[in-house]
Amino acid sequence: MNYEQIRFESADGIARITLDRPDRLNSFTDQMHEEVRDALSRVASDGSRVLLLTGNGRGFCAGQDLSDRAVAPGAAPVDLGRSIEKNYRPLILTLRNLPMPVVCGVNGVAAGAGASIALACDLVIATRSASFVQAFARIGLIPDAGGTYFLPRLVGTARAMGLAMLADKLTAEDAEHIGLIWKCVDDEAFAATIDALLAKLAVAPTRGLAAIKRVLHASSHNTLEAQLALECETQRELGQSDDYREGVEAFLAKRTPQFSGR
Ligand code: T3D
């Protein structure tokens, strides 16, 4: 597929998807969804060991492209459920289920479903000038694309309620302070920080990282007993991996491990 609204690169175990409609703050159209879907299916099978999702220009993503919607007074109502079912739900589930770390590089404002998509990723790094806006309430909607799931789990119900109902801009610094994201870094350091992180993750024990992702996410709905059982089962499985053997051998030999990701 030829991409017109995103850019996709994959090399040395690192895949990068860049949303590329800067004049519309990278808001999502049907076409962009299709292109991202296609790129994600390539990431799943091209040997990538880490994925970066980021945006081009001064925004990360402003959610759904609202100019795509015919919502003039008197017009037939739009079925937003259809758009969510077709586009946003599979996107969020794919990001969550990819067996590798997904890094979100929030290069600017993340609004509406754009904010939810960022929160669906595993490590969110934002520029200091970036911001997060739960813009949904401004147009009479609820946080979708997983927003109502991620927000209370990341920052608690009180903060989730305030962010969702007031729809105020949250600075990247405040997002880091309240635990909504992993880190915010100076704008000038953003590209280098992301590159270093991707390089580190691309040679890490990928199978182990995928398991960390799966098991940590499972903890949000498991009992302690079920979680302990899952840890036991997962550790048993990882104990059979090449990377575990290599990690232990390298530790004992006092050398740097060479993880294959298997
Ligand atoms: O609909 C469905 O399919 C269901 C799913 C819904 C999921 C959703 O995401 S609903 C929420 C949709 N998103 C929003 O409501 C956010 C709308 N945008 C904003 O509130 C603001 O643009 C921002 C807070 C993100 C940034 O503000 P600011 O002042 O930095 O930029 P701006 O001037 O508003 O935007 C720059 C341009 O991008 C501007 O176009 P112009 O005037 O230069 O020609 C603006 O219209 C355009 N733009 C920004 N967001 C969108 C957009 N165009 C279309 N759709 C957008 N979402």
Side-chain angles (χ1 to χ4, degrees), residues 37-115:
R37 250 194 311 276
D38 186 81
L40 285 172
S41 73
R42 288 168 65 180
V43 172
S45 60
D46 72 355
S48 295
R49 293 171 67 179
V50 57
L51 167 67
L52 171 71
L53 180 63
T54 191
N56 181 25
R58 74 172 181 89
F60 165 64
C61 174
Q64 174 64 36
D65 184 324
L66 296 174
S67 60
D68 240 18
R69 297 275 174 267
V71 284
V78 186
D79 182 358
L80 299 184
R82 200 162 161 266
S83 149
I84 289 170
E85 250 171 72
K86 178 177 165 220
N87 291 325
Y88 290 98
R89 189 159 71 183
L91 169 60
I92 298 303
L93 290 176
T94 302
L95 292 172
R96 281 301 263 241
N97 294 331
L98 262 189
M100 68 187 72
V102 178
V103 175
C104 187
V106 180
N107 52 298
V109 64

Side-chain angles (χ1 to χ4, degrees), residues 234-248:
T234 309
Q235 214 69 306
R236 178 172 289 135
E237 190 188 303
L238 291 173
Q240 310 291 319
S241 68
D242 292 350
D243 282 346
Y244 170 65
R245 265 182 226 116
E246 168 63 7
V248 174

Side-chain angles (χ1 to χ4, degrees), residues 140-156:
L141 299 181
I142 59 163
D144 59 19
T148 60
Y149 181 92
F150 303 129
L151 284 171
R153 282 171 173 76
L154 288 165
V155 297

Side-chain angles (χ1 to χ4, degrees), residues 171-192:
T171 64
E173 247 170 40
D174 286 345
E176 180 189 323
H177 287 146
I178 65 171
L180 189 70
I181 64 168
W182 167 235
K183 245 183 204 344
C184 107
V185 297
D186 290 337
D187 290 36
E188 312 76 59
F190 182 65

Side-chain angles (χ1 to χ4, degrees), residues 9-15 46-50 198-199 201-203:
E9 300 151 62
S10 178
D12 305 323
I14 301 174
D46 72 355
S48 295
R49 293 171 67 179
V50 57
L198 296 176
L201 291 170
V203 295

